[in-house]
Amino acid sequence: MRHVVQLYRGEDFLLQALESFADAGLRKGETVLIIATGPHLSACTSALAAKGHNLAAAAGSGQWHAYNAEILLPQIMSGDMPDAKAFDALVGAAIRQAIGFRKKRKMRAFGELVNLLSENDNLKGAEALEDLWNELVPRYRFSLYCAYAMDALDPKRYHGAVQQVCRTHSHFVTDLDNGQFDNHLGQALREILGSELSLMVRRMAVSERNFTVRMTEAEAVKHWLFKNMPLTADKILNAARHHLEAPTGAPALTRLKPMLA
């Protein structure tokens, strides 16, 4: 059981990740439940059909379940906060129905409800909704994949938003190339802190890493900096962005596939 959160900057990246997530589940014979916006659902179903998946047949057998997040979200909200009873009556019921069709099969779900709240600057509502998801995941034993349209290189996001997102997930991933980002973050650390202090920061970040949330070492360093050296962290992340945004091609999805498989 995993509750993975993905930060992304571009729609193309999200659609590739969603397609890979759904495709892997269908090919493994798992039950797949998708709650996404209308455009994302349409793009995902078209991509899966192009790969040879018969989604009508999969829906008929109970393997494929798709819901429009934009239609579902207002039905589970009470003002700015999600209503627990409404959430269970709709989302919980959808999970129970999907599991009931194929009781001995694993299930994976993708949810975009939280991102709709985040994009409307309702992070408290998104965090409360993640808590409701976290009640369902262990109860029904499925893997959940969430995605937020957040720039992992934006220092402002690390002063609250990203910490909130991390608290409610078991795995934290971004759309950054891990190898490249680690190299450029290391370069920025050395430029601003010097070699000796930058090495010390890395060691402290690794030793104090929050193991309740799995993330790369570079992400752990970034989180440690914003917790312990927030003003310096802004400078370091901006320097890392400068190095990383030199033309190197589009971000690769390959590093995410083990997480999405």
Side-chain angles (χ1 to χ4, degrees):
M1 296 177 295
R2 297 181 298 186
H3 187 178
V4 179
V5 62
Q6 165 83 62
L7 303 192
Y8 70 94
R9 290 167 289 173
E11 289 284 299
D12 289 345
F13 186 93
L14 173 67
L15 292 174
Q16 289 181 52
L18 176 54
E19 176 197 334
S20 294
F21 177 78
D23 176 57
L26 292 169
R27 291 188 186 281
K28 289 182 176 181
E30 297 177 7
T31 300
V32 178
L33 184 145
I34 305 294
I35 302 175
T37 64
H40 292 167
L41 270 180
S42 179
C44 181
T45 54
S46 295
L48 292 173
K51 285 192 170 185
H53 293 290
N54 185 336
L55 295 182
S61 70
Q63 186 184 13
W64 173 258
H65 303 260
Y67 299 89
N68 188 311
E70 294 155 315
I71 294 174
L72 186 57
L73 183 62
Q75 300 178 60
I76 64 169
M77 298 297 291
S78 177
D80 290 336
M81 300 298 286
D83 181 276
K85 289 184 178 179
F87 177 82
D88 186 65
L90 293 171
V91 178
I95 297 293
R96 289 188 288 272
Q97 181 185 49
I99 291 174
F101 270 112
R102 309 166 85 241
K103 294 181 179 178
K104 295 184 179 180
R105 297 284 188 173
K106 289 183 177 180
M107 192 181 89
R108 60 177 61 197
F110 170 82
E112 206 169 1
L113 296 167
V114 289
N115 184 57
L116 292 176
L117 293 175
S118 173
E119 288 193 317
N120 283 308
D121 295 321
N122 187 1
L123 282 172
K124 287 186 177 180
E127 187 177 17
L129 188 53
E130 295 284 17
D131 286 334
L132 292 177
W133 272 115
N134 281 333
E135 293 178 12
L136 293 181
V137 169
R139 186 186 310 164
Y140 298 113
R141 303 186 65 80
F142 64 96
S143 294
L144 177 62
Y145 171 40
C146 298
Y148 285 80
M150 285 188 186
D151 186 350
L153 290 172
D154 182 359
K156 295 178 182 177
R157 287 295 190 177
Y158 280 82
H159 295 292
V162 172
Q163 286 85 346
Q164 286 179 255
V165 168
C166 281
R167 185 191 69 79
T168 54
H169 294 84
S170 63
H171 295 68
F172 176 89
V173 292
T174 72
D175 61 353
L176 300 174
D177 182 294
N178 293 329
Q180 286 185 4
F181 177 61
D182 185 66
N183 290 337
H184 294 311
L185 179 64
Q187 184 178 352
L189 282 166
R190 291 188 295 274
E191 287 173 354
I192 294 171
L193 299 180
S195 297
E196 187 174 340
L197 185 54
S198 66
L199 181 59
M200 187 182 302
V201 165
R202 277 188 175 275
R203 287 173 177 170
M204 287 189 290
V206 171
S207 66
E208 297 176 19
R209 186 188 303 190
N210 180 0
F211 285 99
T212 61
V213 183
R214 292 186 60 183
M215 62 179 66
T216 65
E217 181 177 317
E219 285 297 333
V221 170
K222 191 164 58 171
H223 283 256
W224 187 94
L225 285 167
F226 278 96
K227 178 182 177 181
N228 297 282
M229 304 171 65
L231 296 179
T232 305
D234 285 0
K235 298 176 183 178
I236 292 171
L237 197 57
N238 282 325
R241 176 193 286 275
H242 174 75
H243 296 311
L244 191 63
E245 290 185 344
T248 55
L253 186 67
T254 51
R255 65 191 175 277
L256 285 177
K257 287 189 175 176
M259 187 72 72
L260 303 181

